[in-house]
Short mmCIF file of all heavy atoms in Angstrom, two decimals:
data_model
loop_
_atom_site.label_atom_id
_atom_site.label_comp_id
_atom_site.label_asym_id
_atom_site.label_seq_id
_atom_site.Cartn_x
_atom_site.Cartn_y
_atom_site.Cartn_z
N PHE A 1305 -24.13 -15.77 -10.81
CA PHE A 1305 -24.35 -17.23 -10.32
C PHE A 1305 -25.25 -17.18 -9.01
O PHE A 1305 -25.54 -18.34 -8.52
CB PHE A 1305 -22.99 -17.82 -10.09
CG PHE A 1305 -22.06 -17.11 -9.11
CD1 PHE A 1305 -22.11 -17.39 -7.83
CD2 PHE A 1305 -21.10 -16.18 -9.67
CE1 PHE A 1305 -21.32 -16.70 -6.90
CE2 PHE A 1305 -20.28 -15.48 -8.74
CZ PHE A 1305 -20.38 -15.83 -7.44
N PHE A 1306 -25.63 -16.06 -8.58
CA PHE A 1306 -26.62 -16.00 -7.40
C PHE A 1306 -27.98 -15.67 -8.04
O PHE A 1306 -28.11 -15.01 -9.06
CB PHE A 1306 -26.24 -14.95 -6.44
CG PHE A 1306 -25.15 -15.26 -5.42
CD1 PHE A 1306 -24.23 -14.40 -4.95
CD2 PHE A 1306 -25.18 -16.70 -4.87
CE1 PHE A 1306 -23.33 -14.74 -4.14
CE2 PHE A 1306 -24.17 -16.98 -3.93
CZ PHE A 1306 -23.21 -16.09 -3.64
N GLN A 1307 -28.96 -16.08 -7.25
CA GLN A 1307 -30.23 -15.74 -7.72
C GLN A 1307 -30.51 -14.29 -7.69
O GLN A 1307 -29.93 -13.51 -6.90
CB GLN A 1307 -31.33 -16.40 -6.80
CG GLN A 1307 -31.15 -17.85 -6.66
CD GLN A 1307 -32.54 -18.63 -6.48
OE1 GLN A 1307 -33.34 -18.12 -5.73
NE2 GLN A 1307 -32.54 -19.93 -7.00
N GLU A 1308 -31.55 -13.76 -8.43
CA GLU A 1308 -31.78 -12.28 -8.55
C GLU A 1308 -32.25 -11.60 -7.26
O GLU A 1308 -32.31 -10.52 -7.12
CB GLU A 1308 -32.64 -11.93 -9.76
CG GLU A 1308 -31.81 -11.96 -11.10
CD GLU A 1308 -32.59 -11.67 -12.30
OE1 GLU A 1308 -33.63 -10.91 -12.12
OE2 GLU A 1308 -32.34 -12.20 -13.35
N ASP A 1309 -32.81 -12.49 -6.39
CA ASP A 1309 -33.24 -11.78 -5.23
C ASP A 1309 -32.25 -12.04 -3.90
O ASP A 1309 -32.64 -12.01 -2.87
CB ASP A 1309 -34.63 -12.37 -4.72
CG ASP A 1309 -34.53 -13.95 -4.56
OD1 ASP A 1309 -33.45 -14.57 -4.93
OD2 ASP A 1309 -35.48 -14.37 -4.04
N SER A 1310 -31.03 -12.40 -4.30
CA SER A 1310 -29.97 -12.67 -3.27
C SER A 1310 -29.82 -11.37 -2.53
O SER A 1310 -30.12 -10.27 -3.02
CB SER A 1310 -28.56 -13.15 -4.03
OG SER A 1310 -27.96 -12.02 -4.51
N TYR A 1311 -29.14 -11.59 -1.45
CA TYR A 1311 -28.94 -10.44 -0.49
C TYR A 1311 -27.87 -9.46 -1.18
O TYR A 1311 -27.99 -8.24 -1.03
CB TYR A 1311 -28.44 -10.83 0.85
CG TYR A 1311 -29.55 -11.38 1.75
CD1 TYR A 1311 -29.71 -12.78 2.11
CD2 TYR A 1311 -30.65 -10.57 2.18
CE1 TYR A 1311 -30.65 -13.13 2.84
CE2 TYR A 1311 -31.71 -11.09 2.89
CZ TYR A 1311 -31.80 -12.34 3.26
OH TYR A 1311 -32.72 -12.88 3.95
N LEU A 1312 -26.99 -10.05 -1.85
CA LEU A 1312 -25.95 -9.32 -2.54
C LEU A 1312 -26.52 -8.41 -3.65
O LEU A 1312 -26.24 -7.18 -3.84
CB LEU A 1312 -24.69 -10.07 -3.15
CG LEU A 1312 -23.83 -10.77 -1.99
CD1 LEU A 1312 -22.78 -11.49 -2.83
CD2 LEU A 1312 -23.30 -9.81 -1.14
N HIS A 1313 -27.62 -8.95 -4.37
CA HIS A 1313 -28.34 -8.12 -5.37
C HIS A 1313 -29.02 -6.90 -4.66
O HIS A 1313 -28.90 -5.86 -5.07
CB HIS A 1313 -29.43 -8.98 -5.99
CG HIS A 1313 -28.79 -9.67 -7.34
ND1 HIS A 1313 -28.21 -11.01 -7.10
CD2 HIS A 1313 -28.81 -9.62 -8.53
CE1 HIS A 1313 -27.83 -11.56 -8.21
NE2 HIS A 1313 -28.30 -10.77 -9.22
N GLN A 1314 -29.69 -7.27 -3.56
CA GLN A 1314 -30.37 -6.31 -2.80
C GLN A 1314 -29.54 -5.29 -2.17
O GLN A 1314 -29.78 -4.07 -2.13
CB GLN A 1314 -31.16 -6.94 -1.53
CG GLN A 1314 -32.30 -7.89 -2.19
CD GLN A 1314 -33.09 -8.55 -0.94
OE1 GLN A 1314 -33.74 -7.81 -0.20
NE2 GLN A 1314 -33.09 -9.81 -0.98
N PHE A 1315 -28.25 -5.68 -1.83
CA PHE A 1315 -27.23 -4.76 -1.20
C PHE A 1315 -26.85 -3.74 -2.23
O PHE A 1315 -26.80 -2.60 -1.97
CB PHE A 1315 -26.03 -5.54 -0.69
CG PHE A 1315 -25.85 -5.45 0.80
CD1 PHE A 1315 -26.03 -6.52 1.60
CD2 PHE A 1315 -25.58 -4.19 1.33
CE1 PHE A 1315 -25.99 -6.39 2.92
CE2 PHE A 1315 -25.39 -4.03 2.75
CZ PHE A 1315 -25.66 -5.16 3.52
N ALA A 1316 -26.57 -4.28 -3.43
CA ALA A 1316 -26.07 -3.41 -4.52
C ALA A 1316 -27.20 -2.27 -4.75
O ALA A 1316 -26.90 -1.23 -4.92
CB ALA A 1316 -25.72 -4.20 -5.74
#
Side-chain angles (χ1 to χ4, degrees):
Chain A
F1305 57 90
F1306 280 141
Q1307 302 208 333
E1308 276 180 31
D1309 63 347
S1310 79
Y1311 288 113
L1312 289 187
H1313 278 83
Q1314 294 179 61
F1315 245 112

